[in-house]
Amino acid sequence: MTDRILTVRMEAHPEDSHTLATYEATGGYQALRKALTSMTPDDVKAEVKASNIRGRGGAGFPTGVKWGFLPDDLRPRYLVVNGDESEPGTFKDRILLERDPHQLVEGIIISSYGLDVHHAFVYIRGEYPKPARRVQHAIDEAYAAGYLGSDILGSGFSLDITVHLGGGAYICGEETALLNSLEGRRGEPRIKPPFPAVAGLYAKPTIVNNVETISNVPWIVANGGSAYAAIGPERSAGTRMFSLSGHVNRPGDYEIVMGMTWRDLIYGIGGGIPGDRALKTWIPGGASAPWFVPDEHLDTPVTIDDVGANGSMLGSGAVIVMDETTDVVAAAHRIVKFFAHESCGQCTPCREGTTWLERVLWRILNGAGRPSDLDLLLDICDNISPGLRWPPAMTTICPLGPSAVSPITSIMRHFRDEVEAKIRTSEGASVG
Amino acid sequence: MADPSEKVTITLDGRQVEVPAGELLIKAAEEAGTYIPHFCWHPRMKPVGMCRMCLVEVETPRGKMLTTSCTMPVADGMVVETESAVVKKAHEGVLEFLLINHPLDCPVCDKGGECPLQDQTLGYGPGESRFVEEKRHHEKPISISDLVYLDRERCILCARCTRFSEEISGDPLIEFVERGNHVEVNTFPDEPFASYFSGNTVQICPVGALTAKPYRFRARPWDLEAVESVSLVDSVHSKVSVESSQNEIVRISGVDNDPTNQGWLSDKDRFIYEHVHSSERLTTPLVRDRDGFREASWGEAIGLVAERLGATPGAAVAGIGGARATNEDAYAFSKFMRSIVVTPHVDAQLDDGLDPEFAAAVHPRARIDDLEQAATILLWGPDLKEEFPVLYLRVRRAAAHLGATLVVVHPRITGLDPVATHTVRYRPGEGPAILKKLAAGEGDLADVRAALGQGPVVALVGRPGLGEDPRLAEAVAAFARDLPDATIMPLVRRGNVFGALDMGLAPTLLPGRVSITDTAARNALEDEWGALPDGVGSATTGILSGLVSGEQEALVLFGADPVRDHPNPTLARSGLEAAEFVVAFDLFLTDSSRLADVVLPVAAFGETAGTVTNLEGRVQKVNQIVPPPGRSRAAWSILDDIATAMGGSLGATSAERLNKEIARVAPVYRGVTWDMLDWGEGREGIVVPLPGVDQPLRHIPVDTGVATVTERPAVHTARVLYDDGAMLRHCPGLAGLAPPAAIHMHPRDAAVLAVRDGDRVVVSADASVELPVVIDTGLAEGVVYIPFNLVETAPLGAPRSIRIDAVREDAS
């Protein structure tokens, strides 16, 4: 059975997998030809729905269901591909953009055909100049070859793709902030509803999908949705890109079939911990996700639902491994500092709360912690994410604020003694 | 938008309540008696859900969810908790977050005592702070415009001010800068918050972050006396609260009157009160002798006026003014001139307005609120942003947010052009030709004509510039009248001009929208007033010419300054100089009252009570909050004394008694009493006539055939919001805001004259002035624009044609 879809070409043709020549020579644009010549738009949507693919951006929402939310009667519609890959520890879209851009472009064209979209956008983070150049070049090649523009392959279907570079804000990876940014406004999340499928870009019905999600579409259309659904566990169908980083011997991007255990992923694929040190904790799905610990989670399966049932998320597929030498308070502080820095500042609890959390953690780290700080930290967290449950409730507009809560609840739950130890040794000191 | 009459049932804290379908939860709850705290939500702006203070719990299929009630429309069966433990904790949490970086400098903050942050902290906040770190610091306060200070430390980033500027006033000069904990409101570099509406942001700021320079540190809210009134800056009559401390007006705030201003004011409405307490106010009667003015007693001044007016044949006396007075003052003046002096020559307009019958009695007449339902709005008249700023906001709202098609016809770019669907520019004088082309839908106006076919149509018509023939506006109205479901709003600007016309201060009108040719109505009035003068009187231009020719001998200026406000200042000055006797009722010595023989000091805004009538015929009450300074008095009481001294009687013992007389004598005012306006169904004002009351005069607009005049260059002279008017001149906060005087030229016209931007030219008509050139691409070619009544442009007035000579530097 197929165990890799997205990275086959870049593996086989490390030098020129991004070129049209290589792409076409390895079966590229055949799925598009198939879709345009022998399938109706509804057929395309049916295959994507049948594939059971769930969004690869983080939330894991079924793509076919999302596509079904578009109102029938409103035009124009837009497709926006989210390439603002900014979650700390995530770098999987980067290689898809950089090393197989035609796969994405073909996915966009087929998806647009299915969705009756005639203008698609690719929003790429500003720190990805090379991936953006590669995508733009692929689009230029596709136009020249007749895969883009008007009357594609004589089918009567027309599509334009615009590439847009972000300005360096994490929040623009949130789909509605991304749409604001694309419209030239401040990158601030919108209140939902309305959801983008109803009122998105320029207030028109819009589908926002992750780079990886759309990159799978050519394979799904070429091989059939049911073939895709047959890969891996039922509710985590298909292959999945993982960005493995931190204290592992073989960090990097891996495309795997879901369902293996975390032990398989960290010790098998990742090659274990350098120096055979002990595994202390890991983040299973990007900096926003609550942390896992070996005692409880090492032998649980790597699927969207199992990770969710264990109180975290598979998110963007960023696995950050921390060994026994890690100062978890410093690690949590660093992540909270990231979120405080990236808060858009629009809503009160996130703007004020994330910075406050960061400053309390900084005090604890720097010898000025107070015994009351433990309760204070948790209560600030509770005022951002009431009940501290998973998936999080929020007093905020978007999940960025609750994301800053995850590392704190994680260390308080699993490593409270280490936090308390820092406060004990700092009694009497005053910093800040 | 859901049908407002449709109701749904929701469960609010365990209580079943019926609320309008589709209403936002926060509003529906408040109408049902449950107040939900909030900062960023404002009923006149789109919700944004940013401050998070209005969180409530709503039951969903996935359990109870915290959601912002300002962004959530009600739905049938919705179950809402506003006081659950989770909600209370959320409120405390949000308030603690808002307070950690707030300076808590309430004792020195203007907002202290009327501050939503204080109030809500008391009601919903935690008792103490757990924040031990250093607070956020900014330079405080910074000046962001001539009128507004911004204290970023106090700001809670609710974005009310920035949203107002973008959404309501359309001049987004303030914005959020930076992100996260560093977000602040600020202006763009080197661009001040120079908005005509900046004061609204001060008023809606829920903390003391934005403060108004004229009010800063002047009073504490709990020491303020307040009274409701309406602004008389223009004829829109925005509802205001006039607030005083120690017998001095220190602040004016907007009051939300749904049919008129919806809470908003222009900065001119808001800060014009400064003139009331100017040290230049006249506080005693002045009588001219050989050496100029000297102070006089009321007895002497009134005796002198009575003697001189009494000695002059009635028809040789004329009266100009009344448009700045209350209806009661205007009525007293009308009655005084017509029945005591016995002259037909009265005019509240200065030939800068419209035909009085058309202005007072046009049919069908539009209300401001008609703009809410209008499919199409035709504006052929003044630049509303400059002359009717609050009406500008209403039209902008209709065009930008309610989907109305807006057509603007004007010689120059206007404030509404950015939201207009069609703009037509033309050369003043060529309006009749443009109108003909528009009516026929010819050439490039075919689209515009088609747009006007969608009703209901509201046509706002007036004089785009002071040099333009007033009959053009009526011709436009005659065209607009036949558009689908059309209503017409005549645009005349000055304070209470519509009230003055309704009181008969026009050559062709008697009180209550009665034509002087209406014999029956005339006879009825004679029963009250005694014999009326025969014949039709002269309008202001005729009066001034009459003074020059000697046909007129004496003049009563009733709060009018023709030397500054008449389109022909040279004629105005000559007329006043030629007059045998001039008495002026005024607040200040103006260019006109300086030429008088007797000057009588009158009460100003906030110093008298009375009624006023706006451009849609809405009658509202203005109220007194401070005493008139020195020996100045209400104008009606001065007139009553003069009448008595002349051997007659006005019967004016109080303003309220005059009001009762108006309700009896002026047909369309029948039944409108002060009690109704103060306490009853008239809180929003009452559009006269009341239902069931007849309006004797209904003026159907007719095109009287204005000829097209082609001049090169065509001169467009128009008022700007901040000019050198008598009141503005005495407002320290506003006086500096007048734009620099200049002559604006289209680039191609400037090229023909070989002048560049900034070059100086001599502009000559009856008078000559030297002005700098501004190159203005917002003009039609062949048109020059000169702002009216700035210090430097005032001598020109509004000439039909001018000569332009470049001043050559190398001439010497």
Side-chain angles (χ1 to χ4, degrees):
Chain A
M1 191 167 72
T2 308
D3 60 0
R4 286 199 299 154
I5 292 171
L6 302 172
T7 56
V8 177
R9 190 173 297 104
M10 64 181 81
E11 187 99 1
H13 302 274
E15 297 304 316
D16 55 7
S17 60
H18 60 283
T19 63
L20 179 62
T22 304
Y23 191 66
E24 285 181 323
T26 51
Y29 289 112
Q30 290 309 314
L32 174 63
R33 222 171 270 280
K34 175 182 173 185
L36 292 182
T37 55
S38 66
M39 295 170 77
T40 66
D42 283 343
D43 293 339
V44 171
K45 283 190 282 191
E47 292 302 331
V48 170
K49 185 145 195 203
S51 77
N52 284 343
I53 185 170
R54 293 170 70 173
R56 303 300 199 226
F61 196 81
T63 304
V65 177
K66 191 190 249 189
W67 284 17
F69 290 155
L70 286 174
D72 286 333
D73 50 344
L74 294 176
R75 296 290 187 285
R77 296 163 161 183
Y78 296 112
L79 172 66
V80 177
V81 175
N82 186 345
D84 190 56
E85 184 174 59
S86 311
E87 185 79 9
T90 314
F91 39 84
K92 49 129 187 145
D93 290 338
R94 174 182 168 183
I95 65 160
L96 297 177
L97 294 165
E98 190 174 312
R99 301 185 60 187
D100 209 337
H102 278 287
Q103 180 172 254
L104 173 66
V105 171
E106 186 177 7
I108 293 171
I109 306 168
I110 297 170
S111 301
S112 298
Y113 173 68
L115 296 167
D116 194 20
V117 162
H118 299 280
H119 196 159
F121 297 82
V122 188
Y123 188 102
I124 301 175
R125 70 180 301 197
E127 296 88 339
Y128 276 4
K130 185 174 174 187
R133 279 199 305 276
R134 287 272 175 91
V135 171
Q136 186 60 57
H137 186 69
I139 289 170
D140 295 345
E141 284 184 313
Y143 270 107
Y147 298 124
L148 278 174
S150 53
D151 192 19
I152 296 167
L153 301 177
S155 66
F157 174 69
S158 304
L159 176 69
D160 289 304
I161 303 180
T162 301
V163 175
H164 185 86
L165 257 72
Y170 166 79
I171 192 60
C172 290
E174 195 282 335
E175 60 179 3
T176 57
L178 184 154
L179 296 176
N180 274 349
S181 172
L182 203 48
E183 289 180 11
R185 299 166 189 274
R186 281 175 65 87
E188 291 171 345
R190 301 175 182 173
I191 301 264
K192 295 191 258 192
F195 289 89
V198 176
L201 187 63
Y202 305 114
K204 299 297 179 195
T206 302
I207 292 293
V208 185
N209 280 145
N210 175 255
V211 167
E212 182 186 342
T213 311
I214 294 294
S215 294
N216 275 298
V217 170
W219 195 95
I220 291 170
V221 166
N223 299 279
S226 53
Y228 192 88
I231 304 170
E234 192 185 340
R235 287 178 46 80
S236 285
T239 65
R240 181 78 197 244
M241 297 292 295
F242 280 87
S243 304
L244 199 52
S245 68
H247 299 140
V248 284
N249 281 314
R250 290 198 296 271
D253 281 317
Y254 296 95
E255 182 180 12
I256 62 168
V257 175
M258 284 180 273
M260 65 173 63
T261 64
W262 288 102
R263 186 186 299 278
D264 296 335
L265 184 66
I266 295 169
Y267 288 94
I269 290 172
I273 316 282
D276 285 331
R277 289 191 294 271
L279 173 65
K280 186 171 187 177
T281 182
W282 73 95
I283 311 178
S288 315
W291 303 2
F292 274 0
V293 290
D295 287 353
E296 295 177 39
H297 306 114
L298 199 56
D299 292 306
T300 61
V302 181
T303 71
I304 295 172
D305 292 343
D306 285 294
V307 176
N310 282 302
S312 188
M313 64 172 176
L314 211 46
S316 57
V319 180
I320 303 171
V321 179
M322 294 178 251
D323 73 15
E324 60 186 326
T325 64
T326 306
D327 179 341
V328 288
V329 181
H333 170 257
R334 189 62 194 83
I335 294 173
V336 172
K337 186 173 177 174
F338 170 82
F339 287 117
H341 181 67
E342 295 295 344
S343 168
C344 79
Q346 181 185 199
C347 72
T348 308
C350 178
R351 177 184 68 240
E352 306 294 342
T354 55
T355 302
W356 193 4
L357 288 173
E358 186 273 320
R359 291 169 78 176
V360 175
L361 282 170
W362 186 87
R363 273 200 289 111
I364 294 171
L365 264 180
N366 288 280
R370 304 168 178 203
S372 59
D373 284 344
L374 295 179
D375 287 344
L376 176 61
L377 279 174
L378 286 175
D379 198 54
I380 298 171
C381 288
D382 188 77
N383 284 340
I384 299 171
S385 180
L388 302 178
R389 57 174 197 261
W390 192 266
M394 358 191 256
T395 59
T396 50
I397 292 175
C398 86
L400 190 147
S403 295
V405 167
S406 292
I408 294 173
T409 52
S410 295
I411 61 170
M412 296 297 273
R413 178 168 167 216
H414 301 298
F415 308 103
R416 190 177 175 112
D417 53 334
E418 290 186 39
V419 189
E420 283 175 349
K422 281 200 195 294
I423 288 174
R424 265 199 308 282
T425 57
S426 69
E427 267 178 311
S430 74
V431 177
Chain B
M1 205 35 108
D3 174 4
S5 60
E6 200 185 313
K7 300 278 184 195
V8 295
T9 303
I10 64 170
T11 307
L12 193 60
D13 297 324
R15 189 161 63 92
Q16 303 258 314
V17 293
E18 270 210 335
V19 295
E23 181 95 276
L24 291 171
L25 181 50
I26 195 169
K27 215 169 161 182
E30 186 159 348
E31 280 159 20
T34 299
Y35 176 80
I36 300 173
H38 58 268
F39 294 106
C40 67
W41 186 70
H42 187 284
R44 292 291 181 191
M45 296 195 285
K46 290 178 192 155
V48 286
M50 284 168 58
C51 75
R52 316 304 287 174
M53 191 63 211
C54 71
L55 286 168
V56 295
E57 277 193 300
V58 175
E59 271 180 23
T60 75
R62 286 172 293 160
K64 285 183 185 173
M65 254 181 71
L66 276 173
T67 186
T68 41
S69 55
C70 73
T71 58
M72 173 67 70
V74 291
D76 199 38
M78 188 179 258
V79 179
V80 184
E81 296 274 348
T82 72
E83 295 181 316
S84 66
V86 172
V87 171
K88 282 185 171 167
K89 176 117 196 320
H91 288 168
E92 276 196 18
V94 169
L95 273 167
E96 185 182 33
F97 285 140
L98 287 174
L99 290 168
I100 60 174
N101 280 303
H102 188 80
L104 299 173
D105 54 352
C106 313
V108 294
C109 177
D110 279 353
K111 204 79 176 187
E114 55 178 14
C115 173
L117 184 59
Q118 279 184 328
D119 295 347
Q120 296 191 33
T121 299
L122 189 68
Y124 307 91
E128 55 190 61
S129 175
R130 299 174 291 180
F131 186 76
V132 299
E133 347 285 327
E134 185 75 17
K135 288 177 188 263
R136 200 157 51 213
H137 286 301
H138 289 286
E139 182 191 341
K140 62 186 287 175
I142 55 170
S143 173
I144 56 169
S145 77
D146 290 306
L147 293 167
V148 179
Y149 279 120
L150 167 64
D151 183 330
R152 291 162 295 173
E153 292 189 341
R154 292 178 186 159
C155 177
I156 59 165
L157 299 162
C158 68
R160 277 184 168 193
C161 57
T162 54
R163 287 183 286 139
F164 171 84
S165 301
E166 201 211 330
E167 190 181 323
I168 307 293
S169 69
D171 41 14
L173 295 164
I174 46 174
E175 231 326 344
F176 273 16
V177 183
E178 272 290 344
R179 73 180 189 207
N181 194 40
H182 302 287
V183 171
E184 60 181 81
V185 172
N186 216 323
T187 56
F188 294 89
D190 306 320
E191 277 190 70
F193 182 36
S195 164
Y196 284 172
F197 304 97
S198 66
N200 293 295
T201 65
V202 173
Q203 187 174 338
I204 62 177
C205 180
V207 294
L210 293 163
T211 48
K213 290 183 186 178
Y215 175 69
R216 200 171 157 80
F217 300 141
R218 292 298 306 278
R220 305 302 315 201
W222 52 87
D223 286 334
L224 291 175
E225 305 278 339
V227 69
E228 273 194 7
S229 197
V230 299
S231 173
L232 297 180
V233 153
D234 57 43
S235 57
V236 172
H237 293 184
S238 301
K239 202 169 194 79
V240 294
S241 164
V242 186
E243 293 153 31
S244 73
S245 173
Q246 298 175 19
N247 272 346
E248 190 175 329
I249 299 172
V250 292
R251 183 168 75 173
I252 285 180
S253 304
V255 173
D256 194 330
N257 196 26
D258 190 67
T260 58
N261 58 315
Q262 302 190 333
W264 311 126
L265 297 179
S266 74
D267 288 352
K268 191 171 170 183
D269 293 303
R270 191 177 298 274
F271 299 113
I272 192 76
Y273 69 84
E274 287 187 315
H275 80 275
V276 173
H277 305 293
S278 164
S279 59
E280 307 279 305
R281 273 288 296 279
L282 297 171
T283 54
T284 185
L286 300 175
V287 170
R288 180 178 298 283
D289 63 16
R290 278 197 312 268
D291 306 319
F293 286 124
R294 64 172 169 80
E295 295 189 354
S297 69
W298 274 113
E300 183 191 357
I302 283 169
L304 184 58
V305 173
E307 180 199 327
R308 296 296 302 267
L309 293 183
T312 310
V317 181
I320 298 175
R324 296 214 178 280
T326 61
N327 290 349
E328 287 75 7
D329 283 338
Y331 175 81
F333 185 51
S334 183
K335 186 176 179 183
F336 174 80
M337 294 304 286
R338 284 210 163 94
S339 74
I340 305 292
V341 176
V342 196
T343 174
H345 307 296
V346 288
D347 196 2
Q349 299 192 90
L350 301 172
D351 281 309
D352 58 348
L354 297 173
D355 172 75
E357 286 198 9
F358 171 62
V362 66
H363 182 81
R365 188 166 181 174
R367 296 189 184 188
I368 297 173
D369 231 25
D370 292 342
L371 293 165
E372 301 279 308
Q373 283 81 40
T376 310
I377 300 166
L378 169 64
L379 170 59
W380 191 331
D383 182 344
L384 295 189
K385 196 170 183 178
E386 300 291 342
E387 301 203 31
F388 297 80
V390 172
L391 187 59
Y392 155 86
L393 294 181
R394 293 293 304 263
V395 175
R396 188 180 182 281
R397 169 179 150 80
H401 302 300
L402 303 177
T405 299
L406 173 63
V407 176
V408 179
V409 188
H410 195 85
R412 185 171 175 257
I413 188 169
T414 74
L416 281 165
D417 283 23
V419 294
T421 319
H422 300 283
T423 55
V424 180
R425 305 229 173 107
Y426 71 101
R427 283 188 280 272
E430 295 179 4
I434 294 289
L435 177 61
K436 200 171 157 224
K437 190 173 159 193
L438 173 63
E442 286 167 9
D444 54 348
L445 296 183
D447 286 356
V448 185
R449 180 64 188 85
L452 293 171
Q454 284 294 318
V457 176
V458 175
L460 307 162
V461 294
R463 282 162 81 169
L466 285 138
E468 247 169 310
D469 193 319
R471 290 172 302 164
L472 174 62
E474 182 158 354
V476 172
F479 157 68
R481 185 172 64 88
D482 293 329
L483 296 171
D485 298 322
T487 50
I488 292 155
M489 178 171 290
L491 298 175
V492 194
R493 186 194 65 132
R494 193 167 290 115
N496 190 34
V497 63
F498 289 94
L501 294 175
D502 281 356
M503 296 304 113
L505 287 179
T508 51
L509 293 176
L510 294 174
R513 295 183 198 157
V514 172
S515 165
I516 54 159
T517 60
D518 181 338
T519 317
R522 206 182 149 88
N523 290 341
L525 186 62
E526 284 185 329
D527 291 343
E528 294 278 347
W529 281 11
L532 293 169
D534 292 326
V536 180
S538 299
T540 294
T541 302
I543 291 169
L544 294 169
S545 305
L547 288 166
V548 173
S549 70
E551 196 182 320
Q552 302 286 330
E553 295 168 25
L555 178 66
V556 184
L557 288 176
F558 197 65
D561 183 6
V563 174
R564 281 308 190 97
D565 285 331
H566 190 271
N568 187 342
T570 309
L571 172 66
R573 183 174 288 278
S574 311
L576 265 62
E577 284 170 352
E580 301 275 329
F581 179 74
V582 177
V583 54
F585 291 68
D586 222 324
L587 300 174
F588 300 98
L589 280 179
T590 64
D591 286 8
S592 301
S593 54
R594 265 178 227 288
L595 300 174
D597 298 284
V598 178
V599 184
L600 305 175
V602 293
F605 177 80
E607 295 170 353
T608 51
T611 54
V612 290
T613 306
N614 81 350
L615 79 183
E616 54 183 347
R618 181 177 304 275
V619 181
Q620 298 180 85
K621 184 95 187 298
V622 291
N623 286 304
Q624 181 178 3
I625 189 160
V626 291
R631 287 188 268 165
S632 60
R633 301 160 57 183
W636 59 263
S637 79
I638 305 172
L639 287 167
D640 191 63
D641 282 1
I642 300 172
T644 306
M646 289 173 74
S649 170
L650 279 186
T653 51
S654 74
E656 185 159 16
R657 182 167 164 173
L658 279 165
N659 169 263
K660 287 180 175 148
E661 187 172 325
I662 293 166
R664 193 174 68 241
V665 169
V668 293
Y669 283 74
R670 203 148 287 155
V672 178
T673 65
W674 280 18
D675 277 353
M676 237 163 128
L677 298 168
D678 278 335
W679 312 110
E681 61 273 47
R683 290 295 303 282
E684 292 188 337
I686 288 171
V687 176
V688 292
L690 285 170
V693 174
D694 276 344
Q695 178 169 319
L697 177 63
R698 281 184 173 218
H699 186 84
I700 311 288
V702 282
D703 186 345
T704 50
V706 194
T708 292
V709 183
T710 305
E711 292 271 0
R712 279 278 190 162
V715 190
H716 174 54
T717 315
R719 293 180 186 276
V720 289
L721 187 68
Y722 301 124
D723 62 6
D724 189 42
M727 289 187 284
L728 270 174
R729 213 181 298 158
H730 295 102
C731 297
L734 299 176
L737 300 178
I743 178 168
H744 293 238
M745 283 181 206
H746 189 275
R748 274 192 284 274
D749 296 326
V752 171
L753 282 169
V755 293
R756 284 171 305 178
D757 198 82
D759 284 357
R760 298 189 72 83
V761 295
V762 173
V763 181
S764 314
D766 285 346
S768 286
V769 300
E770 190 179 311
L771 294 171
V773 171
V774 167
I775 304 296
D776 187 343
T777 53
L779 280 166
E781 203 178 337
V783 186
V784 296
Y785 160 61
I786 304 170
F788 186 75
N789 199 23
L790 299 177
V791 175
E792 300 86 342
T793 63
L796 279 178
R800 288 282 171 95
S801 66
I802 55 168
R803 216 182 101 164
I804 305 170
D805 296 294
V807 177
R808 301 295 172 196
E809 292 289 327
D810 53 3
S812 59

